[in-house]
Amino acid sequence: MASYDYPVYDYRPSADQRGRQPARRKVVIVGAGPVGLTAAIDLAARGVETVVLDEDNTVSAGSRAICHAKRTLEIWDRLGCAEAMVAKGVTWRTGKVFFGDRQVYAFDLLPEGGHHFPAFINLQQYYAEQFLVERAMSMPEIDLRWKNRVTGVEPRNDCVRLAIETPDGPYALEAEWLIAADGARSPTRKQLGLDFRGKVFEDRFLIADVKMKADLPTERRFWFEPPFHPGGSALLHRQADDVWRIDLQIGWNAAPEEEKKPERVIPRLRAMLGPEARFDLEWVSVYTFQCRRLDRFRHGRIIFAGDAAHQVSPFGARGGNSGVQDADNLGWKLALVAKGLAPDALIDSYAAEREAAADENIRHSTRSTDFITPKGAASRLFRDAALSLAAAHPFARRLVNSGRLSTASVMTGSPLNTPDRDDFAGVVPPGAAAIDAPVVRDGKSDWLLHALGEGFAGLWFLDAPPPRAEAETLAVLGRKPIPMRTAIVSRKAFSSSAGLPVLVDTEGLAAARYDARPGTFYLFRPDQHACARWRGVDPAAIETSIARAIAHSAY
Amino acid sequence: MAQTLRNDSGFADPDEVYAALIECHQGLSEEQSARVNARLVLLLANHIGNFHVISEALAAAREGI
């Protein structure tokens, strides 16, 4: 591939391969893709050691998942690797939809300012993985083992026994917890004989990455039945290094091997890009897709995440992004359980919350797919009707579905949430991921999400310094075995009280986004999802809500 | 003032409504689908009732065909 030099990560024999008895590790992760690496880095940041096994010795072959959503970037920022991604990636937020040769509408995914991260960046998966690998390699808690292929998975009472193949031959390893992040074809899933349930779509798409200098705006363009590709859909996305992603619907009857040949691909691209366009073909793939998931993401000590647990169609960028959200949801829970600070039931809540998220992603992705590739005459009639009305009638634009792009899943109804007892509006109900806002901290511009850190966190909205005693009570909660660190958010600057940092909400955006009044208090879980909120501080209620959020049986 | 045809989205969840519409036609022949559509138009037109609104919708639907 012309534009990217694949790194080669050396296989290094581990002492575990020489022992007479299998070594036992706290957490073993199968798969060093974006999901497995995110989980490893998250756990390392929480002081939990992991062994990461990968059968290969490099990053993703091909650009694959290229659209990384705001929430993914926020998660990676918490883990210390978002900056490199944003610097290398292509930032975008506008999408345009065409029907035939006409633009029917355009949308802006992040119409408001005051967010650290954009709605999306496009970055080839190999770069994203490379930056994650580099971050992981800087953390002593992570033992990355390349060319380690898992050939056997045997659940036992107190561990999972793994058989692993390496260039030096096989060895066995025991994991107290096993995270299966080994992708859509998950060998772990196959070893356990687990089936997916859901839908396979009878359609084929051609993906081509081309390198070209093009004077096109950085936006997502989607065509229904364009003149250059009659009867199908087309998608154009810009990636880093002047690489462009083109996605063409080619139908169920297309022969995959034939369609991948340059002599077939190039005329299709030429029709789209014009006779003058100069481009080099970088990567071609033909794919079909599924919208399906495992019934249960947890099987005893084995936890499935990412594509190993669920698959969606690519429209909406819900595959990679939901996998990273899986890792984000799992990291803090597994860390607390592994340290003996939370009950085993907290792992069940990972499964319950992420299974619900997978259902939501599958629902969106199925609907997009049904719109893009209508089954039957009536579906096509309605689709074309919506498209033909969209230019003149704004309501119809909301029916046009070229992919509902990934946002953070809201864990409404999760038993970890404390239901509201006070009246609230605003976009951050219990279960929702925190929304960012610009703040000033110690005289410097900063972001609200940075104040949340990676433990339980409180945001206390005030307009004047709090009574000392009340601030002290909150400071005490910051010194518990499971600490909650509180930051004060205020329109006006004042000096900190009882060591609680003060974030100045200079534009009033934080208060507006959280529907806050003086006294309002939000409690966030370690994955920065809100789990409780009140109109005033009640330390006993906060402690009860934290206990509830760690699935403590006493509550 | 006479009521006019609304142009902004009236749906809380447009995708849900659209999916239900498609689901309603599942397994029908083209002729059956056309009959379902005609009945659906009559049901919804009656629900709207207002002749002015219906006339505007008829004109908008016909435009460009």
Side-chain angles (χ1 to χ4, degrees):
Chain A
M1 204 169 297
S3 70
Y4 182 75
D5 283 328
Y6 276 79
V8 175
Y9 303 119
D10 292 334
Y11 158 75
R12 286 199 187 87
S14 154
D16 292 352
Q17 291 167 239
R18 296 191 295 270
R20 288 180 30 202
Q21 291 298 315
R24 179 169 293 198
R25 301 286 161 195
K26 199 76 154 175
V27 180
V28 175
I29 299 172
V30 192
V35 179
L37 290 167
T38 300
I41 297 166
D42 191 311
L43 284 160
R46 301 178 192 287
V48 178
E49 295 185 345
T50 58
V51 173
V52 182
L53 306 170
D54 196 277
E55 61 180 353
D56 207 353
N57 63 349
T58 186
V59 292
S60 159
S63 61
R64 295 163 71 192
I66 59 166
C67 298
H68 308 290
K70 181 169 181 285
R71 182 64 198 150
T72 297
L73 297 173
E74 289 165 353
I75 293 166
W76 284 341
D77 186 47
R78 180 169 63 72
L79 302 179
C81 41
E83 268 176 40
M85 309 262 190
V86 174
K88 185 70 201 175
V90 171
T91 293
W92 66 277
R93 58 195 251 184
T94 308
K96 286 186 181 155
V97 177
F98 301 82
F99 182 36
D101 55 2
R102 277 182 79 191
Q103 180 180 322
V104 291
Y105 77 107
F107 55 83
D108 184 343
L109 291 167
L110 192 59
E112 59 177 31
H115 293 269
H116 187 185
F117 289 102
F120 273 94
I121 65 163
N122 285 354
L123 181 67
Q124 294 91 317
Q125 185 169 331
Y126 42 76
Y127 275 120
E129 286 186 15
Q130 181 195 322
F131 298 145
L132 289 165
V133 168
E134 286 165 5
R135 179 77 181 112
M137 282 176 162
S138 75
M139 303 177 98
E141 296 86 353
I142 301 175
D143 179 354
L144 256 171
R145 298 184 189 174
W146 304 102
K147 290 274 176 203
N148 274 241
R149 186 164 64 88
V150 175
T151 56
V153 179
E154 183 200 332
R156 299 187 164 200
N157 278 341
D158 58 344
C159 70
V160 181
R161 173 78 72 92
L162 298 172
I164 299 162
E165 193 59 50
T166 73
D168 288 333
Y171 72 105
L173 187 66
E174 288 180 352
E176 285 180 30
W177 295 97
L178 183 74
I179 302 176
D182 47 357
R185 293 188 191 88
S186 173
T188 307
R189 200 180 63 225
K190 288 191 179 135
Q191 286 276 338
L192 298 180
L194 301 172
D195 281 332
F196 269 151
R197 121 182 109 69
K199 234 167 133 175
V200 180
F201 289 88
E202 293 197 345
D203 206 339
R204 288 186 209 282
F205 288 79
L206 173 78
I207 299 185
D209 275 3
V210 299
K211 177 136 180 140
M212 68 172 176
K213 296 267 188 214
D215 191 21
L216 287 166
T218 303
E219 59 193 19
R220 176 187 197 261
R221 291 190 170 188
F222 195 98
W223 290 262
F224 292 96
E225 311 205 356
F228 57 79
H229 185 58
S233 68
L235 177 64
L236 179 69
H237 259 305
R238 178 183 219 144
Q239 308 174 48
D241 301 336
D242 292 314
V243 174
W244 297 74
R245 160 72 59 84
I246 291 153
D247 200 316
L248 297 170
Q249 182 191 3
I250 55 173
W252 184 236
N253 293 324
E257 288 315 309
E258 277 303 300
E259 292 295 342
K260 277 195 257 185
K261 292 180 177 165
E263 61 266 33
R264 294 279 301 160
V265 177
I266 286 168
R268 289 186 185 279
L269 300 180
R270 173 89 36 225
M272 177 173 181
L273 302 169
E276 269 86 58
R278 295 178 55 186
F279 58 85
D280 293 313
L281 203 52
E282 287 232 325
W283 178 62
V284 180
S285 175
V286 170
Y287 66 93
T288 57
F289 50 75
Q290 295 86 38
C291 288
R292 54 189 191 178
R293 71 165 172 92
L294 275 175
D295 260 333
R296 289 180 293 125
F297 290 3
R298 176 184 184 182
H299 289 261
R301 297 177 168 274
I302 303 171
I303 303 158
F304 289 86
D307 283 357
H310 47 77
Q311 286 161 29
V312 291
S313 78
F315 307 104
R318 287 170 179 269
N321 288 301
S322 69
V324 170
Q325 288 182 44
D326 288 346
D328 179 53
N329 188 294
L330 179 59
W332 67 277
K333 294 176 177 175
L334 189 52
L336 286 175
V337 173
K339 290 174 186 168
L341 291 168
D344 179 271
L346 191 55
I347 306 295
D348 290 332
S349 83
Y350 159 79
E353 291 185 342
R354 295 313 299 172
E355 285 159 11
D359 285 342
E360 179 190 326
N361 288 316
I362 286 170
R363 187 165 61 248
H364 279 297
S365 158
T366 303
R367 287 175 178 175
S368 302
T369 308
D370 284 339
F371 197 91
I372 292 163
T373 69
K375 318 285 173 292
S379 299
R380 181 170 291 273
L381 210 52
F382 275 106
R383 188 197 75 170
D384 291 352
L387 284 166
S388 68
L389 286 169
H393 301 274
F395 88 93
R397 293 170 204 166
R398 296 199 48 204
L399 296 173
V400 171
N401 191 340
S402 70
R404 298 284 179 241
L405 289 150
S406 172
T407 52
S409 292
V410 181
M411 311 300 173
T412 354
S414 168
L416 305 192
N417 297 337
T418 300
D420 283 336
R421 104 192 149 192
D422 302 332
D423 275 342
F424 273 98
V427 290
V428 196
I435 302 286
D436 211 356
V439 293
V440 170
R441 182 173 180 165
D442 301 328
K444 288 194 260 321
S445 294
D446 204 342
W447 297 99
L448 190 69
L449 290 189
H450 287 163
L452 298 181
E454 43 211 13
F456 278 92
L459 288 182
W460 192 13
F461 293 85
L462 293 172
D463 60 356
R468 179 97 200 158
E470 228 178 334
E472 285 290 354
T473 343
L474 288 174
V476 167
L477 295 180
R479 296 189 287 269
K480 297 265 177 176
I482 298 177
M484 179 207 63
R485 298 211 161 77
T486 298
I488 292 168
V489 184
S490 167
R491 281 306 296 263
K492 284 174 255 153
F494 47 79
S495 54
S496 79
S497 186
L500 306 182
V502 177
L503 313 171
V504 186
D505 184 15
T506 44
E507 297 171 50
L509 286 172
R513 286 172 187 171
Y514 288 87
D515 181 33
R517 299 198 286 262
T520 295
F521 189 93
Y522 272 75
L523 174 64
F524 294 91
R525 325 189 312 189
D527 57 8
Q528 304 188 338
H529 279 252
C531 61
R533 55 184 178 175
W534 301 272
R535 286 299 182 190
V537 166
D538 176 348
I542 293 170
E543 284 200 272
T544 306
S545 289
I546 291 173
R548 191 179 171 123
I550 62 164
H552 207 287
S553 55
Y555 294 90
Chain B
M1 212 181 95
Q3 260 187 294
T4 54
L5 179 69
R6 80 181 279 187
N7 218 350
D8 61 324
S9 185
F11 307 124
D13 182 350
D15 288 350
E16 184 183 35
V17 175
Y18 190 86
L21 208 49
I22 301 306
E23 178 65 33
C24 176
H25 287 269
Q26 202 79 55
L28 300 185
S29 69
E30 283 190 48
E31 194 265 332
Q32 288 170 321
S33 271
R35 277 161 56 199
V36 165
N37 279 338
R39 287 155 61 100
L40 185 61
V41 168
L42 292 178
L43 287 163
L44 296 178
N46 174 62
H47 185 82
I48 292 158
N50 185 302
F51 182 69
H52 185 71
V53 172
I54 293 169
S55 300
E56 282 196 354
L58 291 172
R62 184 71 189 246
E63 197 179 316
I65 300 288

